Amino acid sequence: RLLYIRFVAKSGDAMGMNMLSKATEFSLRRLLDVFPDMEILSLSGNFCTDKKPAAVNWVEGRGKSVVAEAIVPAHIVKTVLKTSTSALVDLNTSKNLIGSSMAGSIGGFNAHAANIITAIYIATGQDAA
């Protein structure tokens, strides 16, 4: 029988993986005191999904979450981005919803948000940094 435990900690602005590994190891050693017949196979059972796309991160979250919103007037979309708002909506549906679904995308059906924001900044003459 196997038990996978997902340890969660608050580490401020740091990712904190090294600290979390040390704390997890300490916790597992403490569990051995209580359950001496328990065998630790590995500190990580890959349920941490460190640097790997996984549905558990989409559901439970991992790291920081950021929400960004921008209102780009239709005349800017037309003159600067050389398209229309309805074409952008159609593209979003075809690409990010249907295309991502067909590909079995993990983590939601979206585009790479940071690239979208950067592209809008550059297209509208803003500082991308």
Side-chain angles (χ1 to χ4, degrees), residues 25-125:
E25 183 176 18
F26 179 85
S27 299
L28 290 174
R29 297 276 173 228
R30 179 64 182 105
L31 281 172
L32 274 174
D33 293 340
V34 178
F35 303 101
D37 292 338
M38 180 179 84
E39 180 183 359
I40 300 170
L41 298 178
S42 175
L43 180 61
S44 174
N46 235 14
F47 193 39
C48 64
T49 66
D50 190 31
K51 300 180 184 86
K52 295 174 260 334
V56 70
N57 289 339
W58 179 247
V59 174
E60 297 291 331
R62 181 178 174 90
K64 300 273 184 195
S65 295
V66 176
V67 175
E69 181 177 311
I71 297 173
V72 182
H75 75 277
I76 297 293
V77 171
K78 184 175 182 176
T79 59
V80 176
L81 301 178
K82 309 290 190 245
T83 190
S84 67
T85 53
S86 62
L88 287 177
V89 170
D90 290 343
L91 176 65
N92 179 57
T93 301
S94 298
K95 181 178 179 177
N96 295 327
L97 299 179
I98 299 170
S100 294
S101 178
M102 290 174 59
S105 293
I106 296 174
F109 302 142
N110 61 3
H112 194 286
N115 286 351
I116 293 171
I117 293 169
T118 302
I120 290 173
Y121 281 1
I122 292 169
T124 56

